[in-house]
């Protein structure tokens, strides 16, 4: 049985697909060497497009699989995939319909398979408002699955962080309030490095001896991420 992981938020541009790819690249290779699969369930198919582009010049063995599945395909195949891989990342759309109950939400049908949901929080009023609305939905979903065989674990983290930024200062204040209210957050903040945006679907940035600031930041963050997966 695998661990099924989603980076979720209803706001575009907060880095869901990027961090999914960063994690899959690293965790499928040394020193982790997990059997990893990404299910691209987002209508934009950004990870599928990136993998197809990378394949034009790639000659080596694929470090992990990328599978294109719509919601119906996900529902049909997830149980077989669950037996095949150590880790499954589902890259899914985040749109919420404010007029529908949580059980009727399309996104809920995908989230119901997740063992772990990580919510990226990015500075900016629109980003924060969307993230807070998404968090409310996740809390309700956690309650619905509390007594299931595979309960949902969720955790927030700061993505695309910038020093000396008022919007980032405001974000950290809001996160401290959420932590006081009982919401779990990762300690390590992923910063806004160009290298993260330039990543392909093959090469890992994980390097415990890295001198590059972006690689070091990601390495520290991923170590914390892996610890959370092991502890829950």
């Amino acid at each position: 049985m695998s661990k099924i992981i989603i980076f979720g938020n209803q706001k575009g541009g907060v880095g869901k697909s990027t961090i999914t790819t960063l994690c899959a690249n690293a965790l499928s290779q040394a020193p982790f060497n997990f059997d990893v699969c990404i299910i691209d369930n987002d209508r934009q198919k950004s990870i599928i497009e990136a993998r197809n582009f990378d394949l034009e010049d790639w000659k080596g063995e694929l470090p992990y699989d990328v599978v294109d599945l719509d919601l119906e395909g996900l529902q049909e195949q997830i149980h077989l995939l669950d037996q095949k891989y150590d880790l499954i990342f589902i890259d899914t759309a985040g749109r919420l319909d404010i007029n529908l109950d949580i059980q009727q939400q399309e996104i809920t049908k995908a989230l119901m398979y997740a063992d772990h949901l990580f919510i990226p929080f990015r500075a900016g009023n629109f980003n924060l408002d969307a993230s807070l609305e998404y968090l409310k939905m996740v809390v309700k979903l956690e309650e619905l699955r509390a007594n299931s065989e595979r309960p949902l674990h969720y955790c927030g983290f700061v993505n695309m962080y910038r020093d000396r930024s008022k919007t980032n200062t405001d974000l950290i204040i809001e996160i401290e309030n959420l932590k006081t209210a009982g919401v779990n957050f990762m300690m390590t903040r992923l910063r806004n490095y160009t290298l993260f945006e330039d990543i392909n679907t093959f090469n890992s940035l994980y390097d415990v001896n890295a001198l590059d600031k972006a690689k070091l930041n990601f390495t520290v963050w991923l170590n914390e991420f892996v610890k959370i997966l092991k502890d829950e």
Side-chain angles (χ1 to χ4, degrees):
M1 187 171 65
S2 66
K3 286 185 180 291
I4 302 176
I5 304 158
I6 292 177
F7 292 99
N9 196 310
Q10 67 167 326
K11 183 72 173 65
V14 296
K16 300 187 297 292
S17 298
T18 298
I19 191 61
T20 296
T21 304
L22 286 167
C23 287
N25 286 359
L27 294 174
S28 62
Q29 299 173 60
F32 303 101
N33 297 314
F34 291 117
D35 289 326
V36 176
C37 175
I38 293 180
I39 299 174
D40 194 337
N41 185 236
D42 191 344
R43 291 187 181 92
Q44 295 182 1
K45 302 301 177 188
S46 57
I47 294 182
I48 289 290
E49 289 184 2
R51 169 54 67 89
N52 289 339
F53 178 80
D54 293 338
L55 283 172
E56 294 178 4
D57 298 316
W58 186 259
K59 305 301 181 183
E61 182 179 353
L62 299 179
Y64 60 92
D65 295 328
V66 178
V67 181
D68 183 359
L69 293 177
D70 59 14
L71 182 58
E72 182 178 352
L74 174 65
Q75 293 170 329
E76 291 176 352
Q77 298 189 40
I78 188 63
H79 298 295
L80 292 175
L81 296 172
D82 189 26
Q83 303 302 317
K84 182 177 180 181
Y85 297 98
D86 299 319
L87 301 175
I88 296 174
F89 293 92
I90 304 177
D91 189 43
T92 185
R95 182 179 62 84
L96 297 178
D97 189 332
I98 61 174
N99 297 315
L100 293 178
D101 188 72
I102 183 172
Q103 288 93 339
Q104 298 174 300
Q105 296 280 349
E106 181 178 347
I107 185 60
T108 304
K109 297 175 183 178
L111 287 178
M112 68 176 292
Y113 298 111
D115 300 306
H116 295 269
L117 174 63
F118 290 83
I119 307 172
F121 279 71
R122 182 183 179 185
N125 289 337
F126 293 119
N127 295 324
L128 181 57
D129 290 344
S131 299
L132 292 174
E133 285 300 315
Y134 190 86
L135 178 61
K136 292 177 183 178
M137 184 272 294
V138 171
V139 170
K140 293 180 181 178
L141 186 60
E142 181 199 35
E143 293 172 354
L144 289 173
R145 291 180 50 187
N147 297 319
S148 67
E149 293 183 2
R150 296 177 71 161
L152 175 66
H153 304 280
Y154 73 90
C155 184
F157 69 97
V158 177
N159 199 22
M160 302 182 185
Y161 181 76
R162 292 177 179 268
D163 290 320
R164 297 182 294 276
S165 163
K166 182 181 184 305
T167 56
N168 278 276
T169 299
D170 294 341
L171 173 63
I172 298 306
I173 292 172
E174 182 62 39
I175 285 176
E176 290 302 318
N177 292 333
L178 290 172
K179 289 165 65 175
T180 300
V183 180
N184 292 325
F185 274 85
M186 294 180 66
M187 294 179 59
T188 309
R189 303 166 187 169
L190 276 177
R191 295 177 176 268
N192 195 12
Y193 290 116
T194 302
L195 184 60
F196 295 161
E197 296 294 329
D198 290 341
I199 191 67
N200 58 29
T201 63
F202 296 118
N203 296 114
S204 173
L205 296 185
Y206 186 88
D207 183 358
V208 293
N209 298 312
L211 298 178
D212 179 271
K213 290 182 179 180
K215 289 184 178 181
L216 180 58
N217 179 214
F218 175 71
T219 298
V220 173
W221 182 91
L222 190 71
N223 285 337
E224 183 179 354
F225 176 80
V226 171
K227 185 177 186 302
I228 291 171
L229 296 184
K230 289 181 177 179
D231 290 346
E232 294 181 344

